[in-house]
Amino acid sequence: MTLDSNVPGGPLAEKWDRHRFESKLVNPANRRRYTIIVVGTGLAGASAASSLGELGYNVLSFCIQDSPRRAHSIAAQGGINAAKNYQNDGDSIHRLFYDTVKGGDYRSREANVYRLAQLSVNIIDQCVAQGVPFAREYGGMLDNRSFGGAQVSRTFYARGQTGQQLLLGAYQSLMRQVEKGTVRSLPNREMLDLVLVNGQARGVIIRNLITGELERYAADAVLLCTGGYGTAYYLSTNAVGSNVTASWRAHKRGAYFANPCFTQIHPTCIPVSGSAQSKLTLMSESLRNDGRVWVPKNPGERRPPQQIPEEDRDYYLERRYPSFGNLVPRDVASRNAKAVCDEGRGVGESGLAVYLDFADAIKRLGLEVIRGRYGNLFDMYTKITDEDPYRLPMRIYPAIHYTMGGLWVDYNLMSTIPGLHVLGEANFSDHGANRLGASALMQGLADGYFVIPYTLAHYLAGSTLPAVSVDHEAFREAEAGVQGQIDRLLAVKGSRTPRQLHRELGQVLWDNVGMARSEASLRTALARIPQLREEFWQNVSVPGPKNNLNKNLEYAGRVADYLEFAEVLTLDALHRTESCGGHFRDESQTPDGEAQRDDENFSYVAAWEFQGVGKAPALHKEPLTFEYVKPTQRSYK
Amino acid sequence: MRIFLKVWRQASPDAQGRFVDYTAEDVSPDMSFLEMLDVVNERLIMQGEDPIAFDSDCREGICGTCGFMVSGIAHGPDPGTTVCQLHMRRFKDGMRLTLEPWRARAFQVLKDLVVDRSAFDRIIQAGGYTSVNVGGAPDGNAVLVGKTASDKAMDSAACIGCGACVAACKNASAALFTSAKISQMALLPQGQVERFQRVVKMVDRHDEEGFGSCSNEGECEAVCPKEIPITNIARMNREYFRALLFSRD
């Protein structure tokens, strides 16, 4: 199968307009005849479901949480980018586009990124109209801050809870549609399979997480808005319920998985403290606006931070990257933190941490200004570590945070399965090999509010969609498969918990497919993963009822999927022998240790086709061409 | 440390519940409360027993999924803290703790410490939004919002919808939750158009869902993990009377 990105012709700046005009439409009176399934209620899912409801489609909205308001977008802290140029500091749509393509290390599609930059300005307007309480200047105008990878201030924010406020805005719009009857909200439900009829995505098999019953839903199209796969690493900044299951099961039905090795490791997280730790907590990147990152100059330094004089401190980001300083992109910041810790200059008990110091900013701006900007983040840090960042520098370390890879989609956000659309973090399209800060919220909302209403109509109006009922053979077959897996999980009755096996897998991935990867480390992981999968199916313990709320059973099913998915992730990392963005291969670096791309051989999207569990997936390539931003060695010096 | 737990176990909404004793061994002070429960559950799973069901997701205090009573206090003894951010350093070796689900007529117990909070969604459904479709929004700076109003609106908007306010209230009232959303919208210019209808619809829905009335004890404010102040309830009442007096709809 050839991968056609369906990018419209014409000059970059006119592509989206032109595409909207050329797309087919669905008559308003006919929209209610179409049923659309939206899985997930994060920024992408909630905004898609509410927008489609507003247009008059019959929408079924599913989420695994007990309310759509709890999807993990809620935890995003720092902000959302938009090319408004309210600060008069040289921003423009083209600059946001340029920064995003460059920040993604030239592994994203130019046309998609340009559209994202164009739509960014509409998102802010929409959210303001919804009553999102963005930060304001004293004169009443919207306030901005700057973020990593950019030299302009284009990030809009609501204290350190921007994701929460944007999600609640989308959730409230969704609830408005529920009240109107266009959207049916179905929380506490997990998608366990995708149903294809005549090769088109026509429904889902859902497990009701309260009753344990399997339910069938038919539709004319399915939208997956189910987030990333960072939890494959066990410890990550994702919610403990975030998972790869919906994406993975769609992959097993024929949706290609693109660039899974592009994982983002966020530089500013609270370091690991003990073996019972269930997740890592992110400290927003916005902290790097005012905080200075440093480690002691000498390995083995034992003095507490406040007693280490200036001349014995190494502000290594400011030293190595004078023009971007502490605001280098995430991949660069993370790799440098690892490098100084590998040199033995890490701080804290484990030696796996660096300082993020606010002493200078407090001196310059005063305590109250810092409290106003970061108060809730500082409180969170204090709660977790029992230390006061107003007096002592924070200790931070990188952690898995976001995944740029995801299901392959074309310009219309449609996967390789007709009718299956993928939005937000779950798709691969806009961030290339590295995502810039404050761009995830932008992409989720652009996909849901402004892209899918057009591209979905185009699909529906241009497709033959015969009526399908849930009694169709394809539903029966899919449900039997899901039931079979649940029965197998319950039947093992072994002695190891899903969590133990998940933690082991996570350690294998972090050690071998983490911040730096080599052929040897990747081969180690590839040998270990099938063994863990075998161990899981021989020895997992899943007690408790099948037909009732059973969180351990839900979790076991997700761990089973990580154990399959991890192999594709590792294979992708092995095949891509270049370094780019968040994917750093030891074998491919510049003399001064920066990532060395190989545009001649790897300027493409790697899309993997499922061939069976434990079998090597087939690789398909979508070549990337750059007409408007010429790929160069990324430099932040 | 070792902690002795008395935990409410209830197999399903209709089943009879009861307290069961567990001992959490080898608890480290850096663990969060939920990580301590994870460890207890790991042992139960290895013994082939049904683990204790409790809700949690982000584990950083923002999603509002977690929450239960720790020895009679919603989210436990630390002020301004969800139970996922409560750390074991707060407790002493050998302490006895009782864990119970939120108890309220409008929150049915689903299993063990998990309750049904869908009534909150239905309150928002009644009017917790501005009725604007995607498409026609004016420029973000077209309407100026004073910093004070915006900051106050944000204080109210910080509610995470966990339900602690209901659990702590002797009347099982959701007045703090409902008033936080009403306040956010009443304080912002964007919320003015539907100001009267919103407060009436949301308050009516709150009552229909079976939540009790507010009698100004302030228990909700005391346990709220986001420290949403009770002045929101005063504002809601003011808004409600204003709507009754001046609404022309």
Side-chain angles (χ1 to χ4, degrees):
Chain A
M1 179 172 173
T2 48
L3 288 170
D4 185 351
S5 61
N6 288 311
V7 171
L12 187 64
E14 292 166 24
K15 283 178 193 291
W16 177 235
D17 271 353
R18 185 167 156 168
H19 190 61
R20 283 196 296 172
F21 178 70
E22 288 171 356
S23 292
K24 296 189 177 75
L25 300 172
V26 178
N27 178 307
N30 286 337
R31 289 181 198 146
R32 65 190 151 79
R33 297 183 219 281
Y34 287 106
T35 299
I36 313 298
I37 285 172
V38 183
V39 187
T41 58
L43 287 177
S47 60
S50 66
S51 313
L52 296 173
E54 287 166 12
L55 288 166
Y57 294 101
N58 177 33
V59 180
L60 303 175
S61 160
F62 298 91
C63 66
I64 54 173
Q65 295 84 358
D66 75 330
S67 162
R69 67 179 286 150
R70 307 202 196 282
H72 192 56
S73 302
I74 203 149
Q77 299 170 355
I80 177 165
N81 287 331
K84 283 284 198 184
N85 194 29
Y86 282 159
Q87 304 304 324
N88 195 29
D89 60 355
D91 201 10
S92 63
I93 287 169
H94 201 90
R95 186 173 297 281
L96 175 54
F97 156 73
Y98 173 85
D99 286 349
T100 306
V101 172
K102 177 189 173 193
D105 218 356
Y106 309 97
R107 289 295 173 264
S108 49
R109 231 186 247 146
E110 276 189 333
N112 282 57
V113 177
Y114 196 87
R115 174 176 67 187
L116 179 64
Q118 284 176 305
L119 295 175
S120 68
V121 298
N122 304 98
I123 296 172
I124 299 305
D125 300 342
Q126 178 61 25
C127 295
V128 168
Q130 287 171 347
V132 169
F134 282 119
R136 299 272 169 173
E137 310 264 15
Y138 279 100
M141 303 267 226
L142 288 156
D143 192 19
N144 291 118
R145 53 166 66 142
S146 50
F147 244 64
Q151 288 174 310
V152 294
S153 282
R154 63 160 74 98
T155 305
F156 295 78
Y157 65 101
R159 291 197 192 139
Q161 293 121 285
T162 317
Q164 178 198 28
Q165 293 310 315
L166 295 178
L167 182 64
L168 292 180
Y171 156 78
Q172 287 159 201
S173 295
L174 181 68
M175 287 296 111
R176 174 172 161 245
Q177 294 306 312
V178 172
E179 185 78 357
K180 285 187 161 183
T182 58
V183 177
R184 207 174 137 207
S185 173
L186 296 149
N188 284 312
R189 281 168 173 87
E190 179 163 31
M191 172 185 148
L192 293 179
D193 207 354
L194 178 73
V195 180
L196 270 61
V197 177
N198 298 330
Q200 293 168 315
R202 294 304 301 270
V204 289
I205 303 296
I206 296 278
R207 184 166 180 273
N208 181 321
L209 301 179
I210 303 298
T211 64
E213 281 161 25
L214 296 182
E215 301 169 348
R216 305 172 182 186
Y217 295 89
D220 296 290
V222 177
L223 274 51
L224 285 193
C225 313
T226 49
Y229 47 84
T231 40
Y233 287 78
Y234 186 66
L235 283 181
S236 78
T237 65
N238 289 1
V240 293
S242 302
N243 64 79
V244 77
T245 288
S247 290
W248 185 247
R249 300 204 179 176
H251 173 66
K252 289 171 95 167
R253 289 281 177 192
Y256 294 1
F257 216 110
N259 297 338
C261 79
F262 291 161
T263 51
Q264 179 162 81
I265 296 176
H266 196 289
T268 52
C269 302
I270 299 178
V272 179
S273 69
S275 63
Q277 191 148 0
S278 55
K279 78 153 287 170
L280 296 172
T281 302
L282 174 91
M283 293 280 102
S284 168
E285 167 169 345
S286 61
L287 292 169
R288 288 196 277 142
N289 268 310
D290 289 309
R292 298 179 70 194
V293 178
W294 63 277
V295 289
K297 275 195 179 145
N298 306 313
E301 173 71 71
R302 282 282 153 256
R303 284 174 290 183
Q306 66 276 29
Q307 288 174 21
I308 301 177
E310 279 297 314
E311 62 270 19
D312 289 341
R313 300 178 177 193
D314 179 11
Y315 295 90
Y316 57 91
L317 290 178
E318 296 171 23
R319 173 172 57 80
R320 291 195 64 186
Y321 307 95
S323 68
F324 278 71
N326 293 296
L327 286 174
V328 292
R330 293 175 172 175
D331 55 337
V332 178
S334 292
R335 228 164 18 243
N336 277 280
K338 179 180 190 295
V340 294
C341 291
D342 288 349
E343 290 164 15
R345 299 195 287 146
V347 301
E349 250 172 65
S350 63
L352 290 176
V354 299
Y355 290 127
L356 179 62
D357 199 334
F358 289 87
D360 286 351
I362 291 173
K363 220 178 285 166
R364 192 175 72 243
L365 301 164
L367 200 68
E368 279 320 303
V369 173
I370 295 299
R371 199 189 301 278
R373 284 186 191 167
Y374 312 111
N376 68 318
L377 298 172
F378 280 30
D379 290 349
M380 192 152 90
Y381 183 85
T382 304
K383 266 177 203 161
I384 294 172
T385 62
D386 210 18
E387 284 179 7
D388 177 6
Y390 292 104
R391 293 191 314 111
L392 288 175
M394 286 184 174
R395 284 173 295 113
I396 54 164
Y397 198 65
I400 290 282
H401 173 57
Y402 184 88
T403 54
M404 284 73 68
L407 293 179
W408 185 89
V409 289
D410 66 5
Y411 189 73
N412 294 316
L413 304 182
M414 190 157 84
S415 71
T416 48
I417 298 174
L420 179 71
H421 294 72
V422 189
L423 283 67
E425 188 180 353
N427 75 27
F428 88 100
S429 65
D430 296 353
H431 305 296
N434 174 55
R435 179 175 65 73
L436 292 182
S439 286
L441 306 184
M442 174 173 70
Q443 187 219 336
L445 290 180
D447 286 359
Y449 283 139
F450 297 109
V451 179
I452 202 69
Y454 297 92
T455 62
L456 183 69
H458 182 64
Y459 167 76
L460 295 171
S463 308
T464 312
L465 295 158
V468 165
S469 97
V470 294
D471 301 324
H472 191 283
E473 174 60 21
F475 279 90
R476 202 199 55 74
E477 179 263 336
E479 184 183 315
V482 169
Q483 189 61 60
Q485 198 203 26
I486 291 173
D487 293 340
R488 270 172 73 206
L489 285 169
L490 292 167
V492 180
K493 296 191 191 302
S495 61
R496 304 205 57 195
T497 67
R499 187 182 297 277
Q500 288 170 343
L501 292 155
H502 187 191
R503 195 186 289 128
E504 264 186 61
L505 172 71
Q507 197 65 51
V508 168
L509 291 178
W510 179 247
D511 291 344
N512 298 295
V513 201
M515 275 190 280
R517 301 147 179 193
S518 67
E519 169 147 7
S521 78
L522 294 166
R523 293 209 181 276
T524 306
L526 278 180
R528 194 73 191 97
I529 295 162
Q531 293 168 357
L532 278 173
R533 195 163 58 224
E534 181 70 15
E535 165 81 4
F536 177 88
W537 284 107
Q538 295 295 327
N539 206 8
V540 73
S541 170
V542 187
K546 154 164 93 171
N547 297 320
N548 191 341
L549 194 157
N550 186 343
K551 288 181 183 283
N552 193 48
L553 173 61
E554 297 163 25
Y555 182 41
R558 294 168 195 166
V559 175
D561 288 336
Y562 297 135
L563 287 163
E564 294 177 7
F565 164 74
E567 234 172 343
V568 184
L569 167 69
T570 312
L571 272 174
D572 186 46
L574 181 65
H575 113 282
R576 196 174 277 277
T577 53
E578 65 165 352
S579 294
C580 62
H583 171 65
F584 189 80
R585 285 288 299 259
D586 287 338
E587 299 92 338
S588 181
Q589 43 184 312
T590 61
D592 57 349
E594 302 294 337
Q596 176 79 57
R597 276 197 335 269
D598 176 359
D599 289 335
E600 206 168 307
N601 294 305
F602 288 100
S603 188
Y604 62 78
V605 177
W608 300 90
E609 182 187 5
F610 184 72
Q611 302 286 331
V613 175
K615 293 200 183 113
L619 173 63
H620 301 267
K621 296 177 183 178
E622 180 203 333
L624 293 169
T625 47
F626 294 89
E627 288 178 62
Y628 297 86
V629 185
K630 284 290 153 237
T632 51
Q633 167 72 32
R634 221 160 42 120
S635 171
Y636 292 95
K637 296 212 181 241
Chain B
M1 325 196 282
R2 177 193 278 184
I3 303 285
F4 300 101
L5 301 169
K6 204 176 252 311
V7 183
W8 183 259
R9 300 299 309 257
Q10 179 175 338
S12 64
D14 315 320
Q16 181 91 41
R18 67 195 173 97
F19 281 108
V20 179
D21 291 322
Y22 298 94
T23 308
E25 309 274 0
D26 302 323
V27 176
S28 113
D30 287 332
M31 279 180 186
S32 72
F33 201 90
L34 299 187
E35 285 165 355
M36 180 273 293
L37 280 186
D38 286 342
V39 172
V40 172
N41 273 346
E42 289 287 283
R43 215 185 59 212
L44 291 176
I45 295 168
M46 282 192 285
Q47 293 163 355
E49 289 175 46
D50 194 13
I52 302 161
F54 63 91
D55 259 333
S56 82
D57 202 17
C58 77
R59 296 206 174 185
E60 51 189 73
I62 191 75
C63 72
T65 310
C66 69
F68 45 78
M69 306 298 270
V70 180
S71 297
I73 305 173
H75 288 299
D78 276 3
T81 306
T82 54
V83 72
C84 68
Q85 291 286 287
L86 180 64
H87 281 72
M88 296 311 293
R89 63 177 82 94
R90 182 67 176 71
F91 301 95
K92 291 197 179 68
D93 185 29
M95 273 181 105
R96 290 171 192 281
L97 302 173
T98 306
L99 311 187
E100 277 183 272
W102 295 159
R103 298 209 188 267
R105 185 151 66 113
F107 288 168
Q108 186 184 39
V109 174
L110 296 173
K111 185 176 179 182
D112 303 343
L113 304 176
V114 179
V115 299
D116 175 3
R117 289 170 290 193
S118 56
F120 273 10
D121 290 330
R122 292 187 292 274
I123 292 174
I124 297 296
Q125 225 174 287
Y129 40 75
T130 61
S131 297
V132 289
N133 284 358
V134 174
D139 185 85
N141 267 341
V143 178
L144 299 180
V145 184
K147 186 164 168 29
T148 314
S150 167
D151 284 350
K152 273 193 175 166
M154 182 63 211
D155 289 342
S156 303
C159 167
I160 58 174
C162 63
C165 48
V166 177
C169 176
K170 65 174 186 177
N171 307 328
S173 170
L176 192 62
F177 168 81
T178 310
S179 67
K181 189 51 68 186
I182 289 169
S183 289
Q184 177 197 343
M185 294 302 178
L187 286 161
L188 291 172
Q190 299 95 310
Q192 299 312 305
V193 180
E194 298 164 282
R195 190 170 175 175
F196 293 149
Q197 303 96 300
R198 177 180 303 114
V199 64
V200 173
K201 282 188 191 163
M202 287 181 74
V203 169
D204 288 354
R205 186 70 59 89
H206 167 279
D207 295 350
E208 286 158 29
E209 289 293 340
F211 293 106
S213 300
C214 172
S215 48
N216 285 317
E217 315 281 305
E219 295 286 346
C220 51
E221 179 184 80
V223 299
C224 176
K226 296 295 145 185
E227 301 180 312
I228 310 269
I230 196 173
T231 45
N232 283 283
I233 300 179
R235 188 180 292 107
M236 173 174 76
N237 291 337
R238 234 167 28 234
E239 291 289 318
Y240 191 78
F241 287 120
R242 221 161 105 142
L244 292 188
L245 288 173
F246 300 116
S247 173
R248 286 155 193 248
D249 297 334

